[in-house]
Amino acid sequence: MVIANKMQLSAEEKYDLIARNLQEVLGEEKIKTILKERDLKIYWGTATTGKPHVAYFVPMSKIADFLRAGAEVTILFADLHAYLDNMKAPWELLALRVQYYEHSIKSMLKSIGVSIDKLKFEKGTNFELSKEYTLDVYRLASVITEHDAKKAGAEVVKQVDHPLVSGLLYPGLQALDEEYLKVDAQFGGVDQRKIFTFAEKYLPQLGYQKRAHLMNPMVPGLTGTKMSSSEDESKIDLLDPPASVKKKLAKAFCEPGNVENNGILSFTKHVIFPLFKSDEKFVVVRNAENGGSLMFDTYSELEECFKMMKLHPADLKTAVEGYINRLLEPVRKTFEDPVLKKLVEKAYPVAKKQKSVANDDVITPAHLDIRIGKIVEVSKHPDADSLYVEKIDLGEDKPRTIVSGLVNFVPIDEMQNRMVVVLCNLKPAKMRGIESQGMVLCASVAPKEIEIVCPPGGTPAGERVYVEGYEEGTPDDVLNPKKKVWEKLQVDLTTNEDCVCQWQGKKLFTKSGGLLTCKSMKNAPVK
């Protein structure tokens, strides 16, 4: 599939090429006015977190359209944004991931046969850490309300009741990028619409012009939902071999006659057909006994045939498999380079998954049952001046009783209704006559310096806490005291320089809320 070249396009033809297959355009007249005078300047940003997958061909297909229309296109590797979005990408890996993204995107564009003469790459931290940009961040912060910042990031940044300030900054930085990249328009998915309208509202308040915005529809993944880097079965990695492509497509949601939330059809519409030359057709090879091969000039013809159940999902998948492998082959070849193989290994280190079976000799964090709890009642121990007796809601039928030695460190009024992190599967132990059914985790650097570990804001009581790389498996019902499971794991449980809880450098997190932290203790044991 090689993009056909068109010379001397009119302003109208350029606009049609720029806008085709988009779900929405904000600032259509502004774009048309610019095109009558000069070529458009567009930027597309991508946060360098997970590995790019086959769905990246959707924006690449549109970027190819922009380039064909003569536009100057900047691809922004939003490394700072990646860190701000709940620290999804470790700071020490960001530079490596930017390199991986650049090699991946160049090889993808090469795969679809588009010239990159008018394409340039920019790294966010190249200008976002400048004095001028930083001052503009403060200027923007002085006019934005918390409500507008939270609303703008609603579809992009993880939403919790008590968000981190980093997530509130995210939309403002994305808006400022338009000004500092000196573009006419920003391109993105329709899930970014609230950030785009946020930019249109607030940039003029700083004296900067309002830009246009181009929005792709959200393309469902292979499971019928959004294609996600974190959901292996929903996405095909750029470096997946043909056997993996076949296996994942075989499992893909593709109900006969159903054209809604059909990732196979959506990929065909937004990637395969736009890359065809004018005389190229979509071919479905079938045996004569199954009706013979089919050829389609347009996507609408293909969709109608599938909708009328004249095209079987298995035949469609087989055809799409061939086109996907044609797109991926140049990317695979690029990464056969030993230097790039090493880059992938460093940028995306694989955490070895360990079994978490109760009688397994290998002791890993998967044995631990750590949960978020809410203290619903607290009192001083009747027979011990330094102990609290707490009733903690852990998402069970009734609150657990837990005894904690925190009287000298946290006032009782600060304990009531407090969210805490609890190790739930220690063997119950009596403390001055009262049975304690767990332990509230704290960071401590000395006997007189203790801070309670803080759950992510908005995380509900009962939600489980995980250690990166050890998400699978069921915790032990009760940790075996003879094997000293907790004692052996606790040695490596600490806070880091950012006060984030970690085990052997792997962060503790909840799937809905984010990272576990403490208020101020760095590099402190957690117990």
Side-chain angles (χ1 to χ4, degrees), residues 268-513:
T268 305
K269 177 180 181 180
H270 293 285
V271 177
I272 297 175
F273 271 93
L275 299 182
F276 281 161
K277 293 183 290 185
S278 58
D279 59 347
E280 196 168 358
K281 303 177 186 296
F282 185 89
V283 179
V284 179
V285 178
R286 299 192 303 187
N287 295 328
E289 55 267 29
N290 292 328
S293 297
L294 297 171
M295 289 188 292
F296 302 94
D297 291 307
T298 65
Y299 170 75
S300 58
E301 292 175 1
L302 171 65
E303 182 183 278
E304 183 64 22
C305 185
F306 185 83
K307 187 176 182 179
M308 299 299 293
M309 300 179 70
K310 296 178 180 179
L311 173 59
H312 193 274
D315 294 324
L316 174 62
K317 288 180 179 181
T318 299
V320 171
E321 177 188 339
Y323 287 108
I324 287 178
N325 281 320
R326 284 169 59 184
L327 288 171
L328 294 183
E329 192 54 32
V331 184
R332 296 176 188 134
K333 286 183 178 179
T334 297
F335 283 90
E336 288 176 0
D337 183 328
V339 174
L340 295 184
K341 283 185 177 181
K342 197 69 176 177
L343 172 63
V344 177
E345 292 173 4
K346 289 181 178 179
Y348 298 94
V350 178
K352 294 181 179 179
K353 295 182 178 180
Q354 304 286 353
K355 295 180 180 179
S356 57
V357 183
N359 60 0
D360 192 353
D361 290 333
V362 180
I363 296 176
T364 76
H367 284 267
L368 303 178
D369 182 4
I370 302 176
R371 283 182 255 159
I372 305 303
K374 181 179 182 180
I375 299 175
V376 295
E377 183 182 325
V378 60
S379 61
K380 286 190 176 181
H381 195 296
D383 298 319
D385 293 340
S386 64
L387 300 178
Y388 283 130
V389 179
E390 304 135 2
K391 299 288 186 182
I392 301 182
D393 176 11
L394 290 160
E396 299 171 321
D397 293 338
K398 61 180 182 179
R400 288 196 190 195
T401 298
I402 293 178
V403 180
S404 301
L406 295 171
V407 170
N408 297 325
F409 307 101
V410 186
I412 193 166
D413 60 328
E414 292 182 17
M415 294 291 287
Q416 187 68 38
N417 294 320
R418 183 171 187 148
M419 301 301 291
V420 291
V421 180
V422 179
L423 177 60
C424 298
N425 58 345
L426 284 174
K427 184 177 180 180
K430 284 196 173 183
M431 300 181 71
R432 294 291 184 92
I434 296 180
E435 185 176 81
S436 182
Q437 300 169 321
M439 180 170 68
V440 175
L441 295 184
C442 300
S444 172
V445 294
K448 294 184 178 180
E449 296 181 47
I450 293 176
E451 291 181 357
I452 295 176
V453 171
C454 304
T459 311
E463 179 156 355
R464 188 179 166 195
V465 173
Y466 298 88
V467 175
E468 290 177 331
Y470 297 91
E471 294 91 336
E472 295 186 357
T474 303
D476 299 347
D477 291 332
V478 179
L479 295 176
N480 189 334
K482 292 183 179 180
K483 290 189 175 183
K484 298 187 180 297
V485 176
W486 168 241
E487 290 82 355
K488 291 177 181 178
L489 293 170
Q490 188 276 320
V491 171
D492 294 314
L493 191 61
T494 65
T495 60
N496 63 14
E497 282 289 333
D498 298 316
C499 299
V500 175
C501 296
Q502 60 179 13
W503 183 82
Q504 293 187 354
K506 299 174 176 63
K507 296 180 177 67
L508 275 65
F509 68 99
T510 63
K511 290 192 174 178
S512 70

Side-chain angles (χ1 to χ4, degrees), residues 224-237:
T225 57
K226 180 181 177 181
M227 194 173 288
S228 168
S229 294
S230 61
E231 188 181 348
D232 281 343
E233 293 304 311
S234 171
K235 54 100 176 180
I236 294 171
D237 189 88

Side-chain angles (χ1 to χ4, degrees), residues 146-187:
E146 177 191 7
H147 171 269
D148 281 4
K150 191 172 182 180
K151 179 182 177 183
E155 302 296 327
V156 179
V157 180
K158 175 77 75 174
Q159 296 299 292
V160 294
D161 290 337
H162 305 286
L164 296 173
V165 174
S166 60
L168 298 178
L169 287 173
Y170 193 110
L173 268 64
Q174 187 168 337
L176 283 173
D177 290 342
E178 296 181 350
E179 172 63 25
Y180 279 77
L181 292 171
K182 301 301 179 185
V183 296
D184 306 306
Q186 183 180 172
F187 166 58

